[in-house]
Amino acid sequence: MPKIRASAVTRTFGRGSRRLAALGPLDLEIAAGEFVCVVGPSGCGKSTLLRIAAGLLRPSSGELELRTDAAHPAAMIFQDYGIYDWKTVLANVRFGLDVQRVPRRRADARARAWLSRMGLADFADAYPAALSGGMRQRVAIARALAVEPEILLMDEPFAALDAQLRTLLQDELLTLTQSTSTTTLLITHSLEEALVLGDRVLVMSARPGRVIAERRPPFGRPRTGDVRSDPRFTALKDELWELLRGEVLPGAGAGAVA
């Protein structure tokens, strides 16, 4: 049984003459422990799909379900970090555990363990304003994984970071998700990111977004960032770009899916 299943999902915004078809119809299945990346041109409905999966939006038609018996099945990581400026780093990471009413001593221990894994142990008592962008995103990742979700939903989590830091965090996320076997759905504009991280890469059309192609990177698990230097990596990246070229919206330019 797939962990995530979408059947004929659509989403529209507005009414009457202003009605805009943003997504679908779209069908999707993601197996337990699978890491699926979705790429596509700007405005194609990628983030809309993720928000439907997270329960933040309802589909206009069709159905998307998360198949799990866990009390807190999913966690989401946003592009803008989504952490609270008025809470310490430790309190931010502990937040989901507090919502679950995990006893404070146990919640603190688990939050500190994740801070240690993310290289942030020395910043537990700091506030987000004192952190770099990369460190804040690490806090967001630690907070999401501290609740031990069965499903991880990520909406372009590294888009605002510089290229070097983005590469480092991609490699860290790769290590973390392989060690936890968390079912993951990642939305990204970066073909490189999708190929480094994904078991499958789904290519979406221009709005209203539909899945027009699927590719499986030919790299086994456990995987490292060294696959970037594999000739097959470059060849597949070029192939994906050719698939996307005709879908890029007028005026968006190649940078929209680079």
Side-chain angles (χ1 to χ4, degrees):
M1 297 290 287
K3 282 290 183 182
I4 302 175
R5 181 178 180 272
S7 178
V9 168
T10 70
R11 175 70 195 195
T12 60
F13 296 95
R15 296 180 179 179
S17 61
R18 295 187 176 183
R19 183 174 177 272
L20 177 69
L23 178 68
L26 184 142
D27 298 295
L28 173 66
E29 289 190 353
I30 300 178
E34 189 176 22
F35 198 128
V36 173
C37 298
V38 178
V39 299
S42 295
C44 73
K46 301 186 300 296
S47 293
T48 298
L49 170 64
L50 202 73
R51 280 161 171 73
I52 292 173
L56 302 177
L57 284 176
R58 292 183 179 179
S60 299
S61 64
E63 181 181 29
L64 193 153
E65 58 182 331
L66 306 183
R67 293 178 169 176
T68 172
D69 295 326
H72 302 277
M76 187 165 179
I77 300 174
F78 298 92
Q79 178 179 341
D80 60 356
Y81 316 130
I83 59 178
Y84 302 113
D85 291 338
W86 61 91
K87 291 180 178 289
T88 66
V89 167
L90 178 64
N92 266 288
V93 175
R94 198 185 60 225
F95 179 76
L97 301 172
D98 291 340
V99 171
Q100 295 179 11
R101 297 186 179 180
V102 174
R104 175 59 61 88
R105 182 174 296 179
R106 198 166 77 206
D108 274 347
R110 195 188 301 178
R112 288 184 185 279
W114 274 104
L115 286 175
S116 180
R117 291 185 70 171
M118 299 303 294
L120 295 169
D122 293 339
F123 296 90
D125 297 324
Y127 286 86
L131 306 181
S132 67
M135 294 168 73
R136 280 179 288 199
Q137 195 58 287
R138 290 182 189 181
V139 172
I141 293 171
R143 182 179 64 182
L145 294 176
V147 299
E148 299 177 350
E150 288 193 37
I151 298 168
L152 186 60
L153 306 171
M154 294 187 287
D155 189 7
E156 301 190 52
F158 308 137
L161 306 178
D162 64 64
Q164 293 83 4
L165 187 54
R166 183 172 189 152
T167 297
L168 290 174
L169 288 185
Q170 286 170 3
D171 291 350
E172 288 184 9
L173 181 62
L174 183 62
T175 300
L176 287 170
T177 53
Q178 287 178 154
S179 67
T180 59
S181 298
T182 305
T183 304
T184 305
L185 176 59
L186 170 71
I187 303 301
T188 181
H189 275 103
S190 170
L191 300 182
E192 177 178 301
E193 188 165 280
L195 292 173
V196 168
L197 296 171
D199 296 307
R200 278 191 293 153
V201 179
L202 305 182
V203 181
M204 288 182 65
S205 68
R207 186 180 66 240
R210 296 162 288 105
V211 176
I212 59 172
E214 172 186 304
R215 295 293 184 270
R216 294 180 179 269
F219 314 114
R221 302 281 189 180
R223 182 186 304 173
T224 70
D226 291 342
V227 297
R228 295 183 184 89
S229 61
D230 191 309
R232 295 173 296 173
F233 185 94
T234 301
L236 188 50
K237 183 178 177 181
D238 290 344
E239 180 183 347
L240 288 173
W241 170 237
E242 287 303 316
L243 287 168
L244 283 166
R245 187 187 297 274
E247 299 297 329
V248 175
L249 298 177
V257 290

